[in-house]
Amino acid sequence: MDEQLNESVLAYLQSQQLENTLLGDIAGALQVDTSVLSNSTLPSLNDVFAAVHEEETVDPVLEKKFKAYESLLKSRGYFQGTEEGSQEYNDRLNKARDRFFQKFSGKQAVQKKEEVDQYANLTQEEKNAKADEIKAQGNQHIQNQEYEQALKCYTTAIKLNPQNHIYYGNRAAAHVYLQNYEQSIADSNEALRVNPQYARAYSRLGYAYFQLDEFDKAIESYETGLEIDPSSRELKTGLDETKQKIELINRQKAAQENMKNLFSGNAQGGAPAFDPSALAGMFGGQGGEGGAPAFDPSALAGMFGGQGGEGGAPAFDPSALAGMFGGQGGAPAFD
């Protein structure tokens, strides 16, 4: 059924008179041979989705297809001139997402209509109350680690009351649990569009950027949030951990560069001219016979926090490694 879906999607795109090069790229992403496009008996998208989405209202397979489509849009310059995570970027992303799912999600379109019809006769005040009720259900799902269900609840709450910044913020948190960091950034920005003073959204932004290794953006997000709420422990902790991460990376780079310099030279053919006597200072020796360092094992004690064990062996203190890995409370935190 997956293969049939991909073929039907490609056939639809061809019917929209897509450029052949772009169509070929999409076919590659979907792993479909373009020769199937000559097959006039391909089922319609609605027929395919009726079978694929028999019981599900959200199709993880289609979600995965959209991610591939988003990557293709990036390579084709669809987001050119925008910064990822910015309002303009997210507007284009949401527009592309809406078009994609409207075209390829027949059953989901029906589901959306049913949701609208279900609450169509409610006043806005009643919708707001219902949205809060569904949001509370989402919070319970989060506590139960049922993140997909929580995501659906927050999405429904947003449809009922799209002007509540907390719903976007909670959905951003659900995306974080699911490691959907780009979507978390999009929802955090949407929360800030509704309420620019919602400091917690900056915490979500900072965390998502941190997980994407975009540390400068993470720091900017945390610092902006602290301008709004200087007492936020969440923002302070996030900012401190991001700075520690950057410091760790810089130390690692410096150590690598020092090692490179230690073993580099001007030997013929570019091979490093290794001078073993250069290690003497590291081990406290003055150089043994033939220029080799006089190795003193007790000199290692300072590296491990010990004073030297019996026979001059270092007393190993594992907590001394904590700083090397950025750990808290003496335990190394491995990423």
Side-chain angles (χ1 to χ4, degrees):
M1 185 58 68
D2 239 8
E3 182 181 352
Q4 200 173 50
L5 170 62
N6 292 347
E7 292 173 353
S8 295
V9 167
L10 198 63
Y12 173 81
L13 292 175
Q14 185 190 44
S15 72
Q16 299 303 299
Q17 299 182 335
L18 231 61
E19 180 188 349
N20 286 338
T21 303
L22 180 57
L23 191 66
D25 288 343
I26 295 174
L30 296 177
Q31 297 182 332
V32 174
D33 189 337
T34 54
S35 63
V36 303
L37 295 175
S38 60
N39 184 0
S40 60
T41 62
L42 281 175
S44 70
L45 282 176
N46 284 339
D47 290 341
V48 173
F49 274 101
V52 172
H53 301 291
E54 180 95 18
E55 297 179 354
E56 296 182 347
T57 58
V58 176
D59 180 17
V61 173
L62 190 60
E63 185 69 38
K64 201 172 290 186
K65 298 294 187 296
F66 175 74
K67 292 300 294 180
Y69 181 60
E70 180 186 350
S71 297
L72 185 62
L73 289 176
K74 288 180 181 178
S75 69
R76 288 290 173 180
Y78 178 75
F79 299 101
Q80 188 174 359
T82 69
E83 183 178 358
E84 189 164 352
S86 67
Q87 186 62 52
E88 185 178 357
Y89 180 97
N90 291 330
D91 287 343
R92 294 189 189 183
L93 177 65
N94 291 333
K95 189 179 294 184
R97 183 181 182 85
D98 288 343
R99 286 200 304 263
F100 185 91
F101 279 92
Q102 284 171 8
K103 298 298 184 184
F104 306 136
S105 182
K107 181 92 179 256
Q108 288 181 31
V110 172
Q111 177 69 17
K112 288 179 182 178
K113 184 177 184 302
E114 289 175 351
E115 287 179 359
V116 172
D117 291 344
Q118 182 180 356
Y119 304 114
N121 296 326
L122 298 181
T123 65
Q124 189 56 54
E125 184 177 352
E126 290 171 331
K127 288 180 180 179
N128 293 349
K130 188 67 177 177
D132 273 340
E133 177 185 327
I134 295 172
K135 185 263 289 182
Q137 295 173 9
N139 293 349
Q140 187 60 52
H141 284 307
I142 290 287
Q143 291 182 15
N144 296 338
Q145 300 182 6
E146 299 164 346
Y147 305 126
E148 290 284 0
Q149 292 92 323
L151 203 65
K152 293 177 184 178
C153 287
Y154 297 139
T155 299
T156 301
I158 289 170
K159 289 174 184 174
L160 289 168
N161 182 7
Q163 297 307 311
N164 190 312
H165 59 279
I166 293 176
Y167 302 159
Y168 292 105
N170 286 8
R171 191 168 71 175
H175 278 307
V176 162
Y177 282 116
L178 293 167
Q179 299 182 16
N180 300 332
Y181 300 120
E182 291 88 353
Q183 290 94 320
S184 181
I185 290 170
D187 271 340
S188 297
N189 281 322
E190 197 63 22
L192 290 168
R193 181 190 64 79
V194 177
N195 181 3
Q197 297 301 306
Y198 184 40
R200 177 162 285 184
Y202 285 107
S203 178
R204 310 278 191 239
L205 273 176
Y207 185 83
Y209 280 129
F210 181 94
Q211 295 300 323
L212 293 172
D213 292 342
E214 298 187 42
F215 303 118
D216 290 341
K217 290 182 180 180
I219 286 180
E220 181 183 354
S221 299
Y222 287 129
E223 289 180 340
T224 304
L226 284 169
E227 291 175 7
I228 299 170
D229 184 6
S231 64
S232 171
R233 289 185 61 186
E234 190 177 5
L235 288 164
K236 288 178 180 177
T237 300
L239 180 60
D240 289 343
E241 290 181 351
T242 305
K243 288 181 176 179
Q244 289 172 13
K245 181 71 172 181
I246 293 175
E247 184 181 347
L248 173 62
I249 291 173
N250 290 337
R251 288 204 307 268
Q252 290 172 337
K253 287 181 179 178
Q256 291 171 357
E257 187 63 26
N258 288 339
M259 290 298 294
K260 180 181 177 182
N261 292 337
L262 178 64
F263 289 95
S264 65
N266 298 313
Q268 187 175 2
F274 176 59
D275 179 10
S277 66
L279 296 176
M282 296 176 60
F283 296 99
Q286 300 300 320
E289 184 178 358
F295 176 61
D296 178 10
S298 65
L300 291 175
M303 294 175 64
F304 295 95
Q307 300 301 321
E310 184 178 357
F316 178 61
D317 177 10
S319 67
L321 294 177
M324 295 174 62
F325 296 97
Q328 303 293 328
F334 294 95
D335 293 329

